[in-house]
Amino acid sequence: MLPVQTIYADLVDQLHSQPVTLLQAPPGAGKSTWLPLQLVRDKHFKRIIMLEPRRLAARNIAHFLASCQQEPLGQSIGLRIRNEQYVSAQTQLEIVTEGVLTRMLQQDPELSGVDCLIFDEFHERSLAADTALAFALEIQAALRDDLTILIMSATLDADHIAEQLNCQLIQSEGRSYPIVERYVALKDESNWLFEMPAIIKQAISEESGSCLVFLPGQREITYLNQQLMDLPPDIEVFTLFGDQNKREQQAAIAPAPSGKRKVVLTTNVAETSLTIEGIRIVIDSGRKRAAQFNIKTGVTELVTAQISRSSAVQRAGRAGRLEPGVVYRLGSLAQFERRDAHDKPEILSSDISQLLLEASLWGCDIAELTLLDSPSLIAQQQAWQVLIMLEAVDEQHKITPFGRQMLSFGTDLRLAHMLLKAQALQAEEPQLLPLAIYLVALLESRVSKHPDLAFALQNKHYLTHPQFKLSLKMWLKRFGLKPSESLQTEDLGLLVAMAFPDRMAKRRGQGYQLANGAGADVIEGHWHKDEYVAIAELGGHKGQRIFSAVPVAIGQLQTYLPHLFQRCDVCEFDEKAQRFIAESRLMLGALVIERKDNKTNLDESLRTQAWLNLVAKHGLNLFAEYSNCQQLLIRMELAAKYFPDSFSQCSDAYLTRHLSVWLAPYLANISTFAQLKKIALFEILSNMLDWESQHQLKQLFPTKVKVPSGSTIGLEYQLDGPATLSVRMQEVYGWMQSPEIAKGKVPVLMALLSPAGRPLQLTQNLAGFWQGSYKEVQKEMKGRYPKHFWPDDPATSVATNRVKSRM
C-alpha cells in the first residue's frame, strides 16, 4: 500500500470542508499519481487541474495516468504544456505547467468547470507557482468559494505556509522503502567534479541496481559522460536534462534492458515527481544551477549553488521509490547539516518584472495579493523601471496593450518585446522580424559562447545546433515565416536594445556604464572602439562582465525607440570648481547622450535639487552636525521599530531616499557648500516630529535618567542590543533593577564604574550582581578607594555621589 493511501479518507474530508489544504508526503508516496487519479475515479471533483513545475514530470505523469485509465492522452487525463496540448470535453484531470496555469487563470478568472486546483512539488517555490497560487486564492475568496486548493510536496516549509494561509496540514508518515545515507569526504571542494568518476565507479561496485547522479547542469553532465566510457559492458550511461528531445528523455527514464544496469546523469529535473525504474543508488553532488538576480545590474545569471537540505531529501528519495536504496552525498555530515533547511523562494531572489506585469493585468497591486513572501521595495522599483522601458506599463504602472501582448507570448518578456517591436516595424523594416527570430532562438537555446553576437548568430545560422534549430522552427512557424537564405546583422544592435534597453551602455574609461547606472567590464579584444553597445548577456564577478554584446548606433535608437530618451534640465554643484553647473541633457536612463549649457538663470528649485543630489551622493555625514545627531537618529529609528503606529521610519537609508520631503524646505537660502555643511541638522531632524511625538520620544527613549544619588546620567542607544547606562557604582545603591526604557522593550545594560570612572562590571541583572560578584568588587575597591562608601548590602544602602566624609 502506498503511504498516501493511509491518509486518503482524512484528506478527502479535509478537501471537502476546507478551502486550502497542505499535504506533506514522502517521495514515492503516490501523491503525484495515485492520489489525483483516485480523486477522479471516486468522482470527488468534476474537473481537476494539477500544476507540475517541470515539463518532463508533467509529460510523464500525464502519459502514466492515461495508461492507468487504458486511454489515449486527451480523454479523462489531459496535458497542457508549451507547444503541446491534449485536452477534450471528457478531460477530468489536466496536468499543466506553471506559465500555462497563469495564462488559464488570466483568461478565465472564474475557472469555469474547474473545482479543484492541485499545486504539486510546491517546495520549489518558483515565482510562477507563487503567482498562480496568489491568483487562485483571490478567485476562491471573491468569485469561487466552491474552489478547492491542495498544496503538496515531500519537503514543504509547512509551518510557514500553514501560518500564512491559515490552513490545515495533513502528513503521510513513512517512506515506501528505507534509504541508507553515506557521506563522501572530498579532497578538494573546488575540484569536486574531478572526483565524481571515481565515486560513481565505487558506488556501482559496492551496490546493485541502477544509479542516478545529480549534477548542476549540462556542462558537468557532458564531462562525466566522457569520463565514464570505460564502465563494464553491462552498464549503460544515459543523460537527462530539460532541453533534451523527448526520445532521449524517455530512453533515460525507461528501465534498463534485461541483464543490464544504467547510470543516469541528470540535473534537478529528476528531483521530483519522476520515477526511473531500477534506480536504487543516488549520488548527489549537492549542487544545482540556480538563477541569481543582481539588483544592481538588473541581470539574472545562472550560478552553481549548494542545494538545501529539503532538496537533498527529495533527491535521496529517488533511490527508495521501488526498493530499499542508498544515497551517496558529497561532503561530510556536518557540511550537510549547515545547509539551509529550504530553498529560498524565487520571489525573494529573482527579477519580479513578470509578477508585477501579471498583477497589473490581473488588475491589482501585489500588496493586495496573498503572497507567501513579499519582494523588497527595491526589487519592485527596479522591475517597474524595466517594464516602463519595455513599454509594458505606463508611468502609472497600468498595463499597456503592448504589455498584454507580451504576456501572451509564453517567453521571456524582453524577447517578447523585441519580437513585437520587430513585427510592428515589418512594413518599413522587413528584415527586422526574421533577424529577431534568429536572435531569440540563439538566446533561448543558450548554445553560443562567442562575445560578438553578430558572429555567433552567423555561426549558428550555418552550423545549426539541435536546440537552436528546434527553437528557430517554433518561432518561424508562429510568425508564418520561412528560414532565411542569408542573414543580415546590421540591425542587431537595435534588436538587442529592444530586448535589453536597461543594458544599453556607453563607453566610460576602460569599461562601460549601463543605462541602469551600473558599470560593466569588457572582454579583452572586444568593443574597445565602440562608444555605444547593446548588451545581451552580463555575468561573472559582481555580474559586471559583458559576455555578449553588439555595437549600436544611437541615432537608430532615437528613430525607432524614442520612448527611451528624455530631455531634462539638470543643475549640479561641481565640488572641485565650487560652483553650480546647469545643463540641458538628453538622457537614456542614466546615460548622458547629449548635453548643452543652460544659459537661463538658476531658479530656486534647480539649485535645491542640486543640493539634494549632493547630499544623496555623500550621505548625511556630509553635515558637520551629523555625529551629534546619531543618538537622535537611533532613538527615532527604535521608536519606529517598537511603536510603528506612532512613529514613522527614520533610518539613514530612509532619510537619504526621502531628502526632498524633509530636507528640501531648508535649502532655499543655501548658496554655498560651506553653508550646506553647517546646516542645523539636529533641529531639522527633531522638527520631523510634531510637539506631541517629540514629547513621546523623550518619555519612551530618554537621553538621560535620574539615578538614586540624584545625578542625571546619559543613556547611549544602539539599533541592535540594549541601551547602555555608564554610571559610578555608588550612585545606584538601592536599585534592584535597571531603569525601564520603551515600556520594557529595550533592555538597559548597566556599565558600573569605579570612582575614577573605570569599568568595574557590566550587568543587566543588578539584584543578581549585588548578591553575587559584588563581594569580590567590594574587597578590591575598599583597598583602592578607602574614602568611598562600599556597603555590605548595596541593595538597601543609600546611594551617593560623594566620599564617606561628606555623606
Side-chain angles (χ1 to χ4, degrees):
M1 176 182 286
L2 290 168
V4 77
Q5 292 178 257
T6 61
I7 51 90
Y8 178 66
D10 290 340
L11 177 63
V12 168
D13 289 343
Q14 185 76 13
L15 292 174
H16 286 307
S17 62
Q18 298 297 325
V20 182
T21 299
L22 298 184
L23 171 61
Q24 192 164 27
K31 61 184 178 300
S32 304
T33 51
W34 185 90
L35 174 60
L37 186 60
Q38 199 62 37
L39 290 173
V40 168
R41 288 175 172 176
D42 292 344
K43 302 187 185 304
H44 287 295
F45 299 100
K46 296 176 184 177
R47 189 179 180 99
I48 300 170
I49 293 177
M50 183 165 78
L51 172 68
E52 280 296 330
R54 302 182 185 277
R55 283 179 292 173
L56 177 58
R59 188 185 291 118
N60 279 280
I61 289 172
H63 281 284
F64 173 74
L65 295 181
S67 68
C68 292
Q69 293 287 77
Q70 298 183 335
E71 298 171 349
L73 192 60
Q75 292 193 15
S76 65
I77 307 299
L79 172 67
R80 202 188 303 244
I81 62 180
R82 186 182 179 187
N83 300 324
E84 289 185 53
Q85 182 172 317
Y86 304 91
V87 291
S88 66
Q90 290 74 44
T91 300
Q92 297 170 269
L93 170 62
E94 186 175 341
I95 318 297
V96 303
T97 47
E98 293 171 335
V100 171
L101 178 57
T102 305
R103 297 276 64 74
M104 294 172 73
L105 295 169
Q106 291 277 24
Q107 292 164 9
D108 179 14
E110 293 191 8
L111 276 182
S112 306
V114 176
D115 49 1
C116 180
L117 273 180
I118 300 177
F119 290 81
D120 194 18
E121 306 299 357
F122 195 72
H123 72 279
E124 295 193 11
R125 291 296 308 279
S126 70
L127 187 60
D130 274 12
T131 302
L133 177 61
F135 290 169
L137 291 168
E138 186 156 292
I139 289 171
Q140 189 183 63
L143 302 172
R144 291 284 311 280
D145 58 3
D146 61 328
L147 179 66
T148 297
I149 297 175
L150 172 62
I151 302 169
M152 58 188 195
S153 171
T155 52
L156 283 169
D157 188 0
D159 293 340
H160 175 59
I161 298 174
E163 181 182 356
Q164 292 292 95
L165 301 183
N166 190 27
C167 60
Q168 188 72 32
L169 170 68
I170 292 183
Q171 290 180 294
S172 170
E173 298 296 336
R175 176 186 276 122
S176 296
Y177 296 96
I179 295 172
V180 175
E181 298 176 345
R182 293 177 183 164
Y183 293 87
V184 183
L186 296 172
K187 297 175 184 176
D188 183 354
E189 285 282 342
S190 62
N191 290 322
W192 65 270
L193 183 60
F194 303 122
E195 297 186 41
M196 286 292 284
I199 295 170
I200 294 170
K201 291 173 184 178
Q202 176 188 340
I204 58 180
S205 69
E206 293 175 345
E207 299 288 338
S208 61
S210 293
C211 177
L212 184 63
V213 183
F214 282 100
L215 298 162
Q218 292 182 40
R219 179 176 60 83
E220 293 83 359
I221 287 175
T222 301
Y223 170 79
L224 280 184
N225 196 20
Q226 294 169 347
Q227 297 300 310
L228 296 175
M229 303 289 284
D230 59 345
L231 292 179
D234 65 327
I235 299 177
E236 296 181 320
V237 179
F238 294 85
T239 62
L240 178 64
F241 48 89
D243 289 335
Q244 278 178 306
N245 61 47
K246 286 188 285 185
R247 180 182 56 79
E248 292 172 330
Q249 289 178 343
Q250 291 304 317
I253 294 169
S258 178
K260 291 201 171 187
R261 302 162 69 189
K262 67 195 304 184
V263 172
V264 181
L265 307 175
T266 185
T267 62
N268 55 4
V269 298
E271 189 175 298
T272 55
S273 299
L274 195 64
T275 299
I276 302 177
E277 292 190 35
I279 296 293
R280 64 169 304 276
I281 308 168
V282 164
I283 300 175
D284 184 6
S285 71
R287 293 159 174 83
K288 66 178 179 179
R289 201 81 81 227
Q292 187 176 67
F293 183 62
N294 186 320
I295 197 76
K296 182 178 179 181
T297 60
V299 172
T300 299
E301 186 184 7
L302 288 176
V303 299
T304 302
Q306 291 280 344
I307 62 171
S308 65
R309 295 198 303 274
S310 64
S311 290
V313 170
Q314 290 279 163
R315 290 182 175 187
R318 304 304 102 187
R321 298 296 290 264
L322 303 174
E323 59 181 310
V326 59
V327 58
Y328 291 77
R329 293 195 176 111
L330 267 62
S332 66
L333 174 60
Q335 289 173 316
F336 174 78
E337 291 176 340
R338 286 197 295 269
R339 293 181 189 169
D340 292 337
H342 297 277
D343 291 330
K344 189 175 184 179
E346 277 192 5
I347 197 170
L348 300 180
S349 59
S350 300
D351 176 9
I352 59 167
S353 301
Q354 181 94 21
L355 168 62
L356 294 185
L357 192 59
E358 293 282 8
S360 188
L361 178 61
W362 191 254
C364 70
D365 184 87
I366 64 168
E368 302 172 274
L369 293 172
T370 302
L371 293 169
L372 298 177
D373 296 277
S374 298
S376 69
L377 180 62
I378 294 175
Q380 293 180 54
Q381 291 171 341
Q382 190 273 347
W384 283 125
Q385 290 171 1
V386 170
L387 290 173
I388 290 171
M389 295 183 86
L390 291 175
E391 303 174 279
V393 298
D394 60 22
E395 293 290 341
Q396 286 71 47
H397 299 169
K398 302 297 183 185
I399 192 168
T400 63
F402 224 71
R404 292 175 184 272
Q405 286 182 281
M406 287 162 62
L407 283 175
S408 71
F409 258 53
T411 188
D412 182 273
L413 292 177
R414 295 173 177 276
L415 302 183
H417 180 259
M418 178 179 68
L419 289 167
L420 284 167
K421 290 293 286 187
Q423 186 181 40
L425 292 169
Q426 201 167 9
E428 53 185 305
E429 300 289 348
Q431 78 285 357
L432 283 180
L433 184 56
L435 183 60
I437 289 173
Y438 275 81
L439 179 56
V440 168
L442 182 73
L443 296 175
E444 279 191 337
S445 59
R446 301 192 300 274
V447 295
S448 173
K449 298 298 180 185
H450 200 280
D452 188 325
L453 270 180
F455 177 86
L457 202 54
Q458 290 288 4
N459 185 40
K460 295 306 170 190
H461 178 53
Y462 294 111
L463 303 171
T464 52
H465 188 284
Q467 293 173 25
F468 173 84
K469 198 171 182 178
L470 183 65
S471 180
L472 177 64
K473 181 179 178 181
M474 191 256 312
W475 286 112
L476 287 172
K477 181 180 179 181
R478 181 159 185 173
F479 284 95
L481 298 178
K482 295 180 179 180
S484 298
E485 292 297 326
S486 62
L487 205 58
Q488 302 301 316
T489 58
E490 290 83 359
D491 298 313
L492 199 53
L494 173 61
L495 291 175
V496 174
M498 290 175 178
F500 306 100
D502 54 324
R503 297 184 209 165
M504 279 299 307
K506 182 180 180 180
R507 165 66 65 190
R508 183 178 66 180
Q510 298 302 308
Y512 281 89
Q513 181 189 10
L514 277 62
N516 61 20
D521 302 321
V522 299
I523 294 176
E524 189 174 349
H526 293 276
W527 314 299
H528 286 295
K529 296 181 180 179
D530 299 304
E531 184 178 8
Y532 294 98
V533 295
I535 301 170
E537 295 171 291
L538 274 170
H541 181 60
K542 297 183 180 180
Q544 294 179 317
R545 174 59 60 90
I546 301 174
F547 287 157
S548 66
V550 64
V552 66
I554 206 72
Q556 191 181 35
L557 298 191
Q558 289 179 270
T559 301
Y560 293 108
L561 301 174
H563 71 281
L564 295 179
F565 297 85
Q566 291 84 36
R567 191 169 290 279
C568 58
D569 291 329
V570 176
C571 178
E572 292 180 347
F573 185 80
D574 187 323
E575 295 176 65
K576 289 183 178 180
Q578 288 290 297
R579 66 182 182 87
F580 288 101
I581 297 173
E583 293 180 334
S584 174
R585 295 177 182 174
L586 180 65
M587 306 291 295
L588 196 171
L591 303 181
V592 180
I593 307 301
E594 177 186 285
R595 60 178 80 205
K596 296 179 181 178
D597 287 340
N598 192 336
K599 302 301 183 181
T600 60
N601 292 328
L602 290 177
D603 62 23
E604 182 182 301
S605 63
L606 286 174
R607 194 169 60 245
T608 296
Q609 188 58 52
W611 290 133
L612 292 176
N613 293 341
L614 191 64
V615 176
K617 175 184 175 182
H618 289 285
L620 299 185
N621 56 6
L622 170 75
F623 299 109
E625 279 195 11
Y626 177 69
S627 59
N628 297 328
C629 298
Q630 287 183 299
Q631 279 294 300
L632 172 63
L633 287 169
I634 291 173
R635 290 166 59 224
M636 292 169 73
E637 193 167 348
L638 289 172
K641 177 181 178 180
Y642 292 111
F643 304 96
D645 293 338
S646 302
F647 295 90
S648 301
Q649 286 190 54
C650 201
S651 66
D652 273 23
Y654 179 85
L655 290 171
T656 303
R657 287 198 304 270
H658 296 85
L659 292 170
S660 60
V661 176
W662 65 273
L663 181 60
Y666 299 92
L667 300 177
N669 297 320
I670 303 295
S671 57
T672 69
F673 188 46
Q675 286 179 323
L676 179 70
K677 292 172 70 175
K678 292 180 180 178
I679 204 166
L681 184 63
F682 191 95
E683 181 182 347
I684 293 171
L685 291 172
S686 299
N687 288 340
M688 290 179 64
L689 303 176
D690 58 29
W691 184 88
E692 184 179 346
S693 296
Q694 289 186 37
H695 179 71
Q696 192 176 6
L697 183 69
K698 289 178 182 178
Q699 295 292 106
L700 292 169
F701 299 91
T703 58
K704 297 180 179 180
V705 294
K706 192 171 184 179
V707 296
S709 67
S711 300
T712 302
I713 308 296
L715 272 169
E716 186 170 340
Y717 292 90
Q718 54 183 338
L719 289 176
D720 296 305
T724 302
L725 180 65
S726 298
V727 58
R728 289 179 174 85
M729 188 179 294
Q730 292 96 337
E731 300 202 49
V732 292
Y733 293 157
W735 258 4
M736 291 296 291
Q737 61 182 28
S738 306
E740 187 177 86
I741 300 295
K743 298 182 178 179
K745 296 185 179 185
V746 176
V748 174
L749 177 67
M750 301 289 293
L752 302 178
L753 309 177
S754 71
R758 294 186 177 89
L760 292 178
Q761 183 73 27
L762 293 173
T763 183
Q764 288 180 242
N765 181 5
L766 263 180
F769 170 65
W770 295 144
Q771 294 172 7
S773 55
Y774 168 75
K775 297 297 182 184
E776 296 299 320
V777 174
Q778 181 193 33
K779 288 178 185 178
E780 183 181 350
M781 291 299 103
K782 273 187 173 182
R784 185 173 294 183
Y785 300 101
K787 295 181 179 180
H788 291 266
F789 183 41
W790 304 103
D792 292 332
D793 186 9
T796 60
S797 297
V798 177
T800 180
N801 55 14
R802 298 167 179 251
V803 295
K804 286 188 292 185
S805 61
R806 300 183 63 186
M807 287 177 61

